[in-house]
Amino acid sequence: DISGHYAAGIGRIDDFQVNPNNTNEIYASSRSGGLWKTTNEGETWTATATETLKASGVDAIAVDPLNFNHVFITVQNAINNYSYGIYESFDGGASFAETRFNPQNLNLGGLGSNFRIYSLVSHPTQKNILFAGTSRGMYKTIDNFNTWTKVINGGQIIQIETHPTQANVVYAYSNSNRNTLFRSSNTGSSFSTTTINGNNNNSAKIGLTNNAPNDVYIASAAGIFRSTNSGQSFSFVSNQLSGIDGVNTDVFCVNSNN
């Protein structure tokens, strides 16, 4: 039992990815313990080669939609959150190489910088397209971070999601613009904004469901908001969360069947 006391080397789970073609295979990332992998649905876990990298924290994971062994991770210092960029593995984490999205090329990150990468997302159907949400805005690559463009300028982009059935629609949320959803209809090349009236500047999370692909849910301490037109407008649903003292929304999901 490691839940009731401090145990050196153990950090909270920040992200995970499940192989859609084999649910026994899962990656899980730890804020201070690197990237781990299971091939038996979590019964046992194996450490990957992240222990040899510049820092031990892995904040986000993205996986090639056509090859689960092709995985991207963000690497950061667990204590001060300094980012060391994005690393790539072609062999399921047995080895990693630094991508060009690194402190040297960005002139951001590394020791002495407060640059952070909050989210990393692979496009679910289009190979080589990835998105990175950072403390300086959102970046898009169409060649696995050999090159990239900044598609949202500024702000802390803490969450990126793709429409369940429309490959061209991408959503993003910024903790610097808390009453706003960013929405793209051209695969993340540019974005428009939708105001979430009534959110009252609370930090929020996006929730999507395959069962109703055009629905977008936003959850925060102010309540739950819903869009039925792919994020073009929102209506208020419930404020039951606001009655819970000290509530905030770190994780939010919608039932895939209801």
Side-chain angles (χ1 to χ4, degrees):
D1 178 13
I2 60 174
S3 60
H5 61 87
Y6 171 77
I10 296 173
R12 71 186 185 207
I13 299 300
D14 274 355
D15 198 6
F16 69 93
Q17 292 287 336
V18 180
N19 186 347
N21 299 313
N22 179 4
T23 56
N24 288 319
E25 296 183 342
I26 306 170
Y27 295 111
S29 67
S30 167
R31 179 187 177 97
S32 59
L35 180 74
W36 293 75
K37 182 179 181 180
T38 177
T39 58
N40 54 19
E41 209 171 21
E43 289 186 20
T44 58
W45 292 85
T46 303
T48 66
T50 48
E51 62 188 27
T52 65
L53 303 182
K54 293 179 180 179
S56 62
V58 176
D59 211 27
I61 313 165
V63 178
D64 186 327
L66 302 180
N67 180 7
F68 196 70
N69 285 321
H70 187 194
V71 58
F72 298 82
I73 59 172
T74 64
V75 175
Q76 69 171 21
N77 187 304
I79 296 176
N80 53 31
N81 297 320
Y82 294 157
S83 175
Y84 288 92
I86 295 173
Y87 282 70
E88 180 180 20
S89 172
F90 290 94
D91 51 19
S95 62
F96 281 93
E98 187 179 46
T99 70
R100 289 180 52 79
F101 199 88
N102 60 52
Q104 292 73 34
N105 290 327
L106 290 166
N107 198 28
L108 296 167
L111 293 175
S113 168
N114 60 2
F115 178 72
R116 291 190 62 182
I117 303 174
Y118 295 103
S119 52
L120 184 62
V121 173
S122 290
H123 192 280
T125 61
Q126 299 187 39
K127 187 177 176 65
N128 304 329
I129 296 180
L130 296 97
F131 307 99
T134 78
S135 56
R136 303 290 182 92
M138 178 172 164
Y139 297 81
K140 175 185 177 180
T141 177
I142 59 173
D143 55 13
N144 293 329
F145 289 108
N146 285 312
T147 61
W148 54 84
T149 55
K150 183 181 279 191
V151 292
I152 297 177
N153 189 27
Q156 299 175 348
I157 307 298
I158 62 172
Q159 189 176 3
I160 303 167
E161 301 288 346
T162 57
H163 190 287
T165 59
Q166 296 182 36
N168 60 317
V169 176
V170 180
Y171 308 108
Y173 183 79
S174 170
N175 214 28
S176 305
N177 299 278
R178 294 181 172 185
N179 299 330
T180 300
L181 177 76
F182 289 84
R183 181 186 186 277
S184 172
S185 58
N186 56 9
T187 321
S189 294
S190 62
F191 285 81
S192 59
T193 58
T194 302
T195 300
I196 309 163
N197 291 314
N199 188 48
N200 301 325
N201 207 37
N202 286 286
S203 183
K205 288 292 185 180
I206 304 168
L208 306 176
T209 171
N210 292 334
N211 185 255
N214 292 325
D215 286 8
V216 182
Y217 289 87
I218 297 288
S220 75
I224 297 174
F225 305 84
R226 180 188 182 191
S227 169
T228 58
N229 55 12
S230 302
Q232 297 180 72
S233 62
F234 283 89
S235 58
F236 176 76
V237 175
S238 168
N239 65 352
Q240 291 187 18
L241 292 176
S242 62
I244 305 173
D245 186 43
V247 71
N248 208 331
T249 309
D250 288 329
V251 179
F252 176 63
C253 17
V254 182
N255 190 310
S256 60
N257 295 315
N258 183 11

